[in-house]
């Protein structure tokens, strides 16, 4: 129970690339060809993968008339739609970039009733479960020939309605292809290429957009710094829809690389189960890890925004107070490992500078020379 209590205490320390398209003629629906013309690939080669052919076949050919296409932000769903519909006859195909807009249902009702004899595909991006449920019922009511594809990034927001087929895209489906893409892009750099390839592969963790941004960052700046990609990380973990407590919990889980836990822990905390299903938390027999790495680092960055010197020192004291020494040591090492990732976080740098000032704990030899103190000192030294 030590890990559960420690996690609860960590929570107690607090009190508290998606493409957009201009509307077509002031409507939410636009011709698919207009979406194709508006979409910018920025000259980046598409990272194809084995399951792409199956997804393309289901969207264009399979008889399913209602498909809920689900995958996390950063997995490449919008780019995939571009690749599927680019270069084909889109005379009766349409696209909507914001299908969660309440106005869409009425617009879609009028659109479908006026085209009872037409057959085509309507792709509804950013279509949450509630919106797709209403649209599914509308389609069955009208009995249109149009196939409707709803795309969304919350893989748990499932619509269980008659006639709805789910299509999932997981990072595991893309992992090998993304790793090969990184190898191809970085492999020309010479002797240092092998280490850089491995580093970016670890960072991207199968997410195409993370791999692309990491490669761009390395080429432009010589480092793979993705700390400031706020919108990407917020969308990937659904940050805006989380309560304050849920945000704190996710930040606290990210603070350790990895976090040791007991089986009751994963069962009792809904957020752990939820993010495990989304493949954003990896669970082993005795530890869990928030992934991909840049998301975990970004979440810890949010943690540091609300963390002052006294609070951080209290974290260290709480770790020292853990009675089971082996568990305490594992958590201390995990904290130190995460701290080493905070080199690009200005709040962390400032906080660590304050911790080294005269009169603070790290000013005293007995603290710096202690086992935990020396580990922490070395970790902080890599940041500041």
């Amino acid at each position: 129970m030590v890990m559960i209590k420690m996690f609860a205490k960590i929570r107690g320390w607090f009190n508290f690339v998606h493409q957009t398209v201009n509307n077509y003629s002031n409507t939410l629906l636009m011709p698919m060809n207009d979406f194709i013309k508006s979409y910018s690939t920025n000259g980046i080669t598409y990272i194809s993968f084995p399951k792409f052919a199956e997804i393309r076949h289901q969207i264009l050919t399979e008889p399913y008339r209602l498909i809920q296409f689900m995958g996390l932000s950063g997995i490449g769903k919008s780019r995939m739609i571009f690749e599927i519909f680019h270069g084909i006859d889109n005379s009766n195909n349409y696209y909507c970039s914001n299908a969660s807009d309440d106005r869409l249902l009425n617009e879609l009702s009028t659109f479908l009733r006026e085209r009872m004899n037409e057959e085509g595909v309507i792709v509804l991006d950013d279509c949450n479960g509630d919106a797709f449920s209403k649209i599914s019922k509308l389609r069955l009511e009208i009995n249109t020939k149009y196939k409707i594809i709803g795309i969304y990034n919350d893989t748990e927001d499932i619509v269980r309605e008659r006639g709805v087929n789910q299509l999932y895209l997981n990072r595991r489906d893309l992992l090998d292809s993304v790793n090969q893409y990184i190898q191809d892009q970085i492999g020309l750099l010479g002797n240092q290429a092998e280490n850089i390839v491995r580093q970016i592969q670890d960072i991207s963790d199968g997410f195409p957009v993370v791999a692309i941004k990491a490669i761009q960052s390395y080429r432009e700046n010589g480092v793979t710094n993705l700390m400031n990609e706020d919108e990407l990380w917020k969308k990937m973990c659904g940050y805006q829809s989380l309560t304050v407590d849920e945000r704190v919990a996710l930040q606290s889980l990210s603070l350790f690389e990895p976090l040791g836990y007991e089986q009751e822990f994963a069962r009792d905390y809904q957020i752990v189960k939820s993010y495990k299903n989304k493949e954003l938390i990896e669970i082993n027999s005795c530890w869990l890890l928030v992934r991909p790495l840049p998301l975990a680092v970004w979440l810890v960055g949010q943690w540091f925004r609300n963390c002052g010197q006294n609070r951080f020192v209290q974290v260290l004291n709480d770790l020292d107070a853990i009675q089971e020494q082996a568990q305490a040591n594992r958590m201390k090492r995990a904290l130190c490992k995460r701290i080493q990732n905070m080199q690009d976080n200005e709040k962390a740098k400032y906080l660590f500078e304050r911790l080294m000032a005269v009169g603070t704990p790290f000013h005293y030899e007995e603290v710096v020379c202690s086992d935990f103190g020396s580990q922490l000192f070395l970790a902080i030294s890599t940041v500041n």
Side-chain angles (χ1 to χ4, degrees):
M1 298 298 293
V2 173
M3 293 301 169
I4 301 175
K5 292 177 181 177
M6 187 63 200
F7 178 73
K9 195 157 191 178
I10 293 169
R11 294 184 65 182
W13 294 328
F14 294 84
N15 293 320
F16 60 123
V17 101
H18 183 237
Q19 192 79 32
T20 57
V21 182
N22 291 330
N23 284 343
Y24 174 77
S25 302
N26 298 317
T27 66
L28 292 167
L29 285 173
M30 66 188 303
M32 182 63 73
N33 281 336
D34 283 18
F35 164 71
I36 298 298
K37 292 174 185 175
S38 303
Y39 191 94
S40 174
T41 64
N42 296 315
I44 297 171
T45 303
Y46 180 60
I47 305 175
S48 190
F49 57 101
K51 196 175 179 180
F52 175 75
E54 175 191 336
I55 292 173
R56 187 179 190 278
H57 179 74
Q58 287 202 40
I59 289 177
L60 295 180
T61 309
E62 285 286 348
Y64 305 119
R65 311 314 290 173
L66 286 165
I67 298 178
Q68 198 179 17
F69 181 23
M70 310 180 78
L72 291 174
S73 292
I75 212 81
K77 300 182 298 300
S78 295
R79 175 66 186 266
M80 195 177 308
I81 293 299
F82 171 84
E83 296 294 333
I84 288 172
F85 287 92
H86 178 69
I88 68 172
D89 180 10
N90 289 310
S91 302
N92 294 331
N93 297 336
Y94 293 83
Y95 176 85
C96 172
S97 64
N98 182 20
S100 297
D101 191 310
D102 292 337
R103 297 172 297 164
L104 178 64
L105 196 63
N106 287 334
E107 182 179 324
L108 197 58
S109 176
T110 302
F111 177 92
L112 293 175
R113 294 179 197 278
E114 291 176 349
R115 295 166 173 79
M116 292 298 293
N117 296 321
E118 285 185 8
E119 185 171 357
V121 180
I122 299 174
V123 176
L124 306 176
D125 215 339
D126 195 24
C127 187
N128 63 40
D130 183 56
F132 193 70
S133 177
K134 294 174 182 177
I135 290 167
S136 301
K137 293 172 182 175
L138 175 68
R139 189 204 171 277
L140 293 172
E141 174 193 324
I142 297 174
N143 196 27
T144 177
K145 295 180 182 179
Y146 270 91
K147 175 184 285 190
I148 299 178
I149 317 290
I151 303 177
Y152 200 48
N153 58 13
D154 187 345
T155 55
E156 295 190 319
D157 200 1
I158 300 171
V159 174
R160 303 190 187 280
E161 304 277 358
R162 180 170 63 89
V164 176
N165 184 61
Q166 272 78 35
L167 180 59
Y168 295 97
L169 183 60
N170 301 309
R171 65 168 190 83
R172 292 189 303 272
D173 299 323
L174 294 102
L175 185 60
D176 290 342
S177 298
V178 170
N179 285 345
Q180 186 59 53
Y181 173 81
I182 296 167
Q183 177 71 53
D184 295 342
Q185 294 294 310
I186 302 295
L188 302 176
L189 295 180
N191 295 334
Q192 60 180 339
E194 184 177 345
N195 289 335
I196 300 302
V197 165
R198 188 161 49 248
Q199 179 186 352
I200 296 179
Q201 286 175 342
D202 290 342
I203 287 174
S204 60
D205 207 14
F207 288 90
V209 71
V210 179
I212 290 166
K213 288 181 177 293
I215 291 170
Q216 288 176 335
S217 175
Y218 181 76
R219 285 175 172 169
E220 294 171 5
N221 308 306
V223 293
T224 53
N225 175 20
L226 303 180
M227 178 69 76
N228 296 322
E229 298 288 343
D230 285 16
E231 289 308 308
L232 171 60
W233 308 128
K234 284 179 180 179
K235 291 181 72 172
M236 183 177 287
C237 69
Y239 199 73
Q240 298 301 101
S241 64
L242 297 177
T243 66
V244 172
D245 283 346
E246 288 171 335
R247 291 182 183 185
V248 170
L250 201 54
Q251 292 165 12
S252 301
L253 289 169
S254 303
L255 191 58
F256 300 89
E257 185 186 347
L259 174 66
Y261 81 104
E262 296 170 352
Q263 292 298 327
E264 292 82 359
F265 179 91
R267 289 198 297 266
D268 292 344
Y269 283 91
Q270 179 60 39
I271 196 166
V272 174
K273 292 184 283 188
S274 174
Y275 279 83
K276 176 181 181 292
N277 293 337
K278 296 176 181 179
E279 296 189 294
L280 292 179
I281 286 182
E282 178 183 358
I283 293 185
N284 204 317
S285 58
C286 59
W287 54 259
L288 58 84
L289 183 68
V290 176
R291 58 192 309 168
L293 174 61
L295 171 62
V297 173
W298 180 82
L299 286 165
V300 176
Q302 303 306 300
W303 187 90
F304 273 109
R305 289 177 61 180
N306 300 292
C307 180
Q309 179 178 332
N310 291 338
R311 184 171 288 166
F312 188 74
V313 170
Q314 184 61 51
V315 173
L316 306 183
N317 291 337
D318 288 337
L319 289 173
D320 265 334
I322 296 176
Q323 295 297 314
E324 296 182 38
Q325 196 61 43
Q327 291 181 336
N329 289 338
R330 283 196 295 270
M331 291 194 74
K332 290 173 182 178
R333 287 195 298 269
L335 175 64
C336 291
K337 189 173 182 181
R338 179 62 79 219
I339 285 175
Q340 292 173 5
N341 299 134
M342 305 309 297
Q343 297 177 27
D344 299 304
N345 185 277
E346 293 303 320
K347 180 63 189 290
K349 289 181 180 179
Y350 173 75
L351 177 62
F352 295 155
E353 182 179 342
R354 294 280 303 276
L355 288 172
M356 299 296 180
V358 175
T360 61
F362 282 91
H363 180 68
Y364 299 102
E365 182 178 356
E366 60 269 22
V367 174
V368 176
C369 292
S370 68
D371 184 46
F372 183 31
S374 61
Q375 291 181 53
L376 198 57
F377 182 81
L378 289 173
I380 291 175
S381 297
T382 66
V383 179
N384 193 338

